[in-house]
Amino acid sequence: MDQGRLALELAPGAEGQLVIPGRNWRADDVMHLQFYSQPPSEPILIDEFKLPLKGREVALPILAGPKLQLVESAEMVTVENENVRLVVDKAAGQIVEASYRGRVVLTGGPQLNLCPYDLPPLQAEEVRAIQNADYVEIAIDGAYGEMPVRFTIRVDGAGRMETTYTLPEPPADAGSYSEVGVSFLMPGETDRLRWDRRALWSVYPEDHIGRPVGEAARFRAGPAAVYRQEPTWSWSLDMEDYPAVGARTMRDMG
């Protein structure tokens, strides 16, 4: 691993250009940059970046598997085989149940997430289902207030589900949102979550909840917190927010 130091001499508020000397770069190399304050003060880490030289390539699973049965009624769309069951409420445009081998994994969704914008309730307009050779496609057309949206759910007989969304008329200030995506509801007994996502920043503390790849338990193991008593666990395991919810905790709120 090559490493080195470069000095930058810029006045406060000024702009400059950092030129990294050439190396014997490989396609999978990641450039790790750390910016420190200069003497006479003790060096302080100001900012940090991990920049891959090549963009990450993500290959999504190909939808295929055992045959699925599609059953439609005036109220519901049901897709199932011996291992998979997906039920969508046409009036709500929402999943009622998604289960795999008898275990329920989803109880609601999809819902659009445009944080911090508070969307009105989804008004479903039309739900259509199409049987394909390797999967069933369910299209949900609706709107959040005056903003139309289309969700497309594709599920195969092996239990893989792919969800996409389209905003024909996105908000003018869409670039200001900190989170954009789709959310689902999970059953109450769900106690652990793993994720692999494209995060906002390239560097996070190892136990930060916003890190690109990680795993987190729903509830912290160990004793309950006591107000104004110093906790014995890491800040990343805190479940209490007394100014926001008073004496209640995330454990109390489910």
Side-chain angles (χ1 to χ4, degrees):
M1 179 181 66
D2 293 335
Q3 61 182 359
R5 295 184 178 185
L6 294 173
L8 297 175
E9 296 184 3
L10 292 173
E15 296 183 359
Q17 186 176 46
L18 177 64
V19 179
I20 306 295
R23 295 285 196 274
N24 186 23
W25 304 115
R26 299 197 311 257
D28 59 348
D29 281 343
V30 176
M31 185 180 297
H32 189 181
L33 302 178
Q34 293 178 312
F35 294 87
Y36 288 86
S37 62
Q38 294 186 16
S41 63
E42 186 72 20
I44 298 173
L45 180 62
I46 299 174
D47 214 337
E48 185 174 6
F49 303 87
K50 288 184 179 179
L51 308 176
L53 298 187
K54 182 180 179 181
R56 181 183 177 190
E57 296 180 359
V58 178
L60 296 177
I62 297 176
L63 297 180
K67 183 72 173 180
L68 285 166
Q69 181 181 10
L70 171 62
V71 178
E72 282 195 75
S73 68
E75 295 81 22
M76 299 288 180
V77 173
T78 302
V79 181
E80 60 185 344
N81 63 16
E82 60 181 4
N83 292 321
V84 178
R85 178 175 171 83
L86 176 67
V87 183
V88 176
D89 185 325
K90 287 186 173 181
Q94 293 288 282
I95 292 173
V96 176
E97 174 192 329
S99 60
Y100 181 70
R101 293 184 177 178
R103 183 174 182 178
V104 177
V105 293
L106 295 178
T107 59
Q111 288 285 350
L112 185 65
N113 178 31
L114 292 180
C115 182
Y117 188 64
D118 187 16
L119 293 171
L122 173 67
Q123 299 296 321
E125 298 171 357
E126 184 180 11
V127 175
R128 302 180 306 281
I130 302 174
Q131 178 91 56
N132 292 283
D134 295 320
Y135 59 88
V136 172
E137 178 176 296
I138 303 173
I140 303 170
D141 286 321
Y144 291 96
E146 299 297 321
M147 184 178 66
V149 63
R150 167 176 287 187
F151 295 105
T152 303
I153 299 174
R154 297 184 180 95
V155 60
D156 71 5
R160 291 177 288 255
M161 190 177 81
E162 174 185 294
T163 305
T164 60
Y165 64 93
T166 303
L167 296 176
E169 302 173 15
D173 59 344
S176 65
Y177 297 123
S178 59
E179 295 178 6
V180 179
V182 179
S183 64
F184 294 89
L185 295 179
M186 305 179 73
E189 61 268 20
T190 303
D191 64 355
R192 189 167 297 274
L193 179 67
R194 296 188 183 96
W195 66 89
D196 185 345
R197 72 188 190 100
R198 186 173 65 181
L200 180 62
W201 309 114
S202 61
V203 177
Y204 288 80
E206 291 185 1
D207 57 352
H208 195 286
I209 195 63
R211 61 194 184 274
V213 179
E215 177 179 320
R218 183 179 182 186
F219 298 122
R220 181 193 68 248
V226 178
Y227 183 50
R228 303 193 70 177
Q229 180 175 312
E230 182 178 357
T232 58
W233 49 86
S234 167
W235 68 268
S236 63
L237 298 178
D238 273 347
M239 298 180 58
E240 289 71 34
D241 190 347
Y242 294 106
V245 297
R248 294 186 301 163
T249 69
M250 295 300 294
R251 194 187 304 270
D252 300 326
M253 299 169 68

